[in-house]
Structure formats: C-alpha cells, structure tokens
Amino acid sequence: MDTAALVDPATYETGPPFELLRRLRAGTPVSWVGEPALHGQPAGPGFWLVLRHADVERVLRDPATFSSWLGATQVRDAADLAWVRRMMLNTDPPDHSRLRRLLTRSFTPRAVAALTASIEATAADLVDRVVGGATEGRCDFAKDVAADLPLLTLADVLGVPAQDRWLMFDWSNRVIGWQDPDYATSAAFDGTGGTAMARAAVALRPAPGPDGRMPDPRTRAGMPDLYGYARLLAEEKRRSPGTDVMSILLAQVDEDGGQVSDDEFENMFWLFAVAGNETLRNGLPGGLIALLQHPDQLAAVRADPSLLPGAVEEVLRWWTPVMVFRRTATVDVELSGVRIRAGDKVVVSFTSANRDEAVFAEPDRFDVRRSPNPHLTFGHGPHFCLGAQLARVQMRALFAELLRRTGTLELDGPPALLRSNFQRGVKRLPIRWTVA
C-alpha cells in the first residue's frame, strides 16, 4: 500500500488521511513507511508505523525496548543528536525519572490552584475582548482567542513576563511549523514593549539564508534566541525567585544533592515554551471545529454544561493535536507479528490509535457523551504529558466561557490547516457569532 501520503506534510493541509490509516490498521497494523526526499528534505531510512491502540501503549510503556534517547523522538533523524538527547523529552529512565520527579514536585498544590484560578480569569478576559458589548461579530478564533490562552498560562508557569509571551508564539511557529512556509520564518514579536531579556533574545534571532530557509529549529544552533532568553531568565530567577513553577524547580535538590543544571533548565524551557504551547494552541481551535461540524453535539453541551468535561475528552481524541512520536528499538523485537530490528525507527500514530475500532465504538463518530474514552492524546507510560491536567483546565475554561457568552457560533469560511506531518495545526479559523 502506498504510504507516501503519510510522510508528505502537504497531505495534512486538508486533514489526516484517516481512510489510509484505517486500511493499514486493519491489514498491516505495524507498517513499513518509506521516507522519500520531499520539499527540500533528504530521504530517510524509513520507519515502522504502529497503528493499533494496544501496540502504541506497549511501545510507550517499555523504554528499555523502545528508547526515546537512542535516536531521539522526532521522526526525521536529528541533525544534532548529541544536543537533543539532553532534552527530557528525549531521555529514558533513570535520567528521565530524575528530571520528572523534580518537575512533578515543582507543581505544588498551591501553584496548581493559582494557575487554575488564573486560567479561568484569563479565559473570561479573552472572550470578553472579542465579544465585548457587541450583539454579533466575526473573528479568527485561532489567532484572536486560542493563541493567547496557552501563552498567558505558560507565562505564569515559566515566570515569563506577560509582555514577552509572544516570543513563545514565534518559537513555536518556527519549531512546529518548520515544514510550513507561513510559519518557518515567524518573527511577529520584535521586542517592542517587551523586557530587556526579550530585546536581547530578538537580537539573537537567526535570519533566513540565501535559499530563504531558516537554520534547523530542532537544533541548538537554530534557536539561539530561545536559549539566550532561557539563560537570562534562569539568572533572574536565581537572583530573585518567584512563586512560579520554574523558580520552584531551580530551587529543587535531587536525591544526590544536585540541582537542575543550566543546560537542563534551558532544555526544559524549550519543552514547555514550544510543546506546552503548540499542542493546546491547536487543540482549542481543533475542538471548536469539531463542535461546529457537529451542531447536534454543540447544542447538547449548550443545553447541559455538565457534558463539557466529557466533550473536552472527545475533542482531544477526535482532533489529536500531536499525531505521531518516535522511538528506536534497542533490541530485535516482535510487534503484532512483525520482526523489528535493533536500531529501527518505531513511530507510534496517536491519530490512528485514537480511532481504533477495537477500543472505540464507531470511532469516526464525534460523541461528547463517549464513555469510557481512553484516548492516547497525552501519551502513555513514563512520558505521559506533565501538562495534561492544565491543558484540560484551559480547554474547559475557554469553551465554557465561549458558550456562555454566545448564542450562536458558525464557521465564517474554511479553516486553514498547518503543513505538518507531526502537529495537526490550525493557522486560521474564521467564525461568526451572536451573543447569548
């Protein structure tokens, strides 16, 4: 079966190839996928794509066999493997366990409670900013509403001054949207109105080369502005710690008496600033698309707000912002009857697993009352997303406020989707509304 569409980022500008995934899941649930040269990227060695829910869980809970560190977690082989291996995302136990414990302890009950209250207030402010006192109107939900909530939340988590938050918007665009010409050179924030740290970071921002391409943002050399800002932020927090999660993290002492190093902090900052932003930034407009395309389900949630938590879980399953993640086999292993060799790339498809007929009845039906709903959108096993609960809080808060303030919601044109075979992104989502 021709699998080229799976790796071509242009495919996803019209949505994931669900029918192809369904046929592969039914016939060859662990499928070999080639990596041809595409859009200026060289050919790769190919990988095993894991499509069934149970097999995805097996891969993710067994880091000894399927390593995050050996080849890192991006599907394409990393240009700077030695550097990306230092990121918590690309580590295995026990190194991963140590960093995760420090982070988990930093999300204290007091810090989480403060974040929850701040998220709810921010969601109300964002919707009010768009709706205001008007009786009807139009907006780009992706840009005017959904983009700012995770940025403001992350600013609270990271202790980043709110006026600097749009740096994270540009960083996320460049890293996640490197395959999309609209995002690859993102430089919307010029430092105006930002802190001295922000202006110093903007001065380090790389420029496109003669071919119009930016340096690879998945390397340290490709993101000098992000790492420069992280260094300055860490210095400031060590001088004058706050109550934010990153200040707490920098003060933590591990079991051996050590603390988070500068390199570790910079890489954690990268992980939060990019991954913590982009997933929710796309999950929010993706969720609204799902509701608008299923008006009976939208009406049900309007009529009974107690359905909202379940609706959020169904949105997470239905949209699945992060579509794939990579592991590398450490030994020869068999998976669903397929012999995988040590060193082979193994890529799990969250998009496919979240529509596995063996787990979800009528998986192509969007159902806000679906229960149980064991989706894998936040991963599984040792790398289960640390920010899962905060993401749920943000989604519930924003949708609750949006439905409370509006009487009708409709698409005002087709959504524009991201050119990416990794992130199911929404660049623009024009909507029109009337007030409640």
Side-chain angles (χ1 to χ4, degrees):
M1 195 178 295
D2 185 6
T3 57
L6 294 171
V7 294
D8 187 346
T11 297
Y12 299 86
E13 291 179 290
T14 56
F18 290 115
E19 177 56 23
L20 174 57
L21 291 170
R22 185 196 64 76
R23 285 185 281 134
L24 290 170
R25 191 167 59 242
T28 52
V30 178
S31 296
W32 181 255
V33 177
E35 293 181 278
L38 284 169
H39 309 296
Q41 292 294 312
F47 56 85
W48 295 105
L49 184 65
V50 182
L51 295 139
R52 288 183 181 166
H53 191 282
D55 289 335
V56 170
E57 285 192 327
R58 178 186 166 189
V59 168
L60 295 179
R61 68 171 175 256
D62 185 4
T65 306
F66 302 101
S67 170
S68 297
W69 177 85
L70 192 58
T73 53
Q74 53 190 304
V75 177
R76 287 279 181 174
D77 291 336
D80 188 1
L81 183 60
W83 173 253
V84 299
R85 276 176 167 171
R86 300 183 188 185
M87 294 185 182
M88 188 173 74
L89 187 69
N90 302 319
T91 57
D92 295 325
D95 293 335
H96 177 266
S97 305
R98 168 185 167 265
L99 292 173
R100 191 177 180 95
R101 280 194 299 273
L102 290 171
L103 264 175
T104 301
R105 292 206 300 259
S106 301
F107 279 93
T108 63
R110 180 180 177 184
V112 171
L115 286 168
T116 299
S118 177
I119 287 166
E120 291 170 348
T122 299
D125 288 344
L126 289 174
V127 174
D128 186 66
R129 189 174 70 189
V130 170
V131 175
T135 58
E136 61 182 1
R138 290 174 160 85
C139 72
D140 178 351
F141 181 79
K143 180 182 178 184
D144 299 334
V145 183
D148 217 4
L149 180 58
L151 290 178
L152 286 164
T153 301
L154 280 169
D156 284 345
V157 171
L158 298 170
V160 169
Q163 62 266 39
D164 292 354
R165 67 188 183 279
W166 289 99
L167 277 170
M168 293 187 284
F169 180 82
D170 286 327
W171 294 332
S172 295
N173 283 355
R174 283 160 47 199
V175 173
I176 303 298
W178 66 275
Q179 296 168 314
D180 190 309
D182 287 347
Y183 275 16
T185 59
S186 184
F189 183 76
D190 64 3
T192 303
T195 65
M197 292 188 298
R199 293 190 292 275
V202 168
L204 296 173
R205 179 185 287 155
D211 60 355
R213 292 180 177 274
M214 295 281 276
D216 190 338
R218 298 161 299 162
T219 65
R220 181 177 177 82
M223 299 294 289
D225 45 339
L226 182 151
Y227 289 111
Y229 189 94
R231 281 195 303 276
L232 293 171
L233 186 67
E235 290 169 6
E236 175 63 25
K237 291 189 177 306
R238 287 188 171 113
R239 281 195 302 268
S240 180
T243 58
D244 56 273
V245 172
M246 289 295 112
S247 290
I248 298 169
L249 173 67
L250 286 167
Q252 293 279 354
V253 177
D254 63 25
E255 290 77 4
D256 297 325
Q259 291 184 291
V260 172
S261 69
D262 288 344
D263 282 354
E264 288 172 337
F265 177 82
E266 289 173 19
N267 282 322
M268 285 189 190
F269 183 85
W270 184 101
L271 183 63
F272 275 78
V274 175
N277 172 33
E278 198 64 25
T279 300
L280 190 63
R281 171 181 157 190
N282 292 308
L284 287 166
L288 187 56
I289 290 171
L291 289 165
L292 294 177
Q293 289 178 342
H294 300 84
D296 60 323
Q297 301 296 298
L298 175 58
V301 179
R302 278 195 186 279
D304 182 1
S306 70
L307 293 175
L308 187 55
V312 165
E313 297 307 310
E314 181 69 341
V315 159
L316 289 164
R317 181 192 75 88
W318 178 265
W319 192 257
T320 311
V322 175
M323 296 185 287
V324 292
F325 246 108
R326 170 189 173 175
R327 299 293 188 263
T328 303
T330 60
V331 295
D332 291 357
V333 62
E334 188 172 291
L335 191 64
S336 277
V338 172
R339 189 69 175 172
I340 296 171
R341 303 291 184 186
D344 284 354
K345 291 197 279 189
V346 179
V347 176
V348 296
S349 172
F350 297 119
T351 301
S352 175
N354 280 348
R355 299 207 180 199
D356 187 342
E357 299 81 355
V359 177
F360 303 98
E362 298 182 74
D364 293 327
R365 178 169 56 88
F366 180 76
D367 181 5
V368 297
R369 294 181 174 88
R370 185 180 295 278
S371 181
N373 194 346
H375 64 78
L376 297 176
T377 297
F378 293 121
H380 183 71
H383 280 271
F384 183 82
C385 177
L386 273 167
Q389 190 52 37
L390 283 180
R392 289 180 167 110
V393 169
Q394 290 177 77
M395 295 184 78
R396 289 196 296 264
L398 188 61
F399 286 134
E401 193 65 21
L402 187 67
L403 296 183
R404 185 182 72 82
R405 293 291 302 275
T406 60
T408 64
L409 284 167
E410 297 177 312
L411 287 171
D412 195 34
L417 304 183
L418 184 68
R419 177 184 290 191
S420 171
N421 53 21
F422 171 68
Q423 182 84 211
R424 192 178 180 190
V426 184
K427 296 191 291 186
R428 292 179 294 280
L429 178 57
I431 63 169
R432 57 180 179 268
W433 48 265
T434 61
V435 295

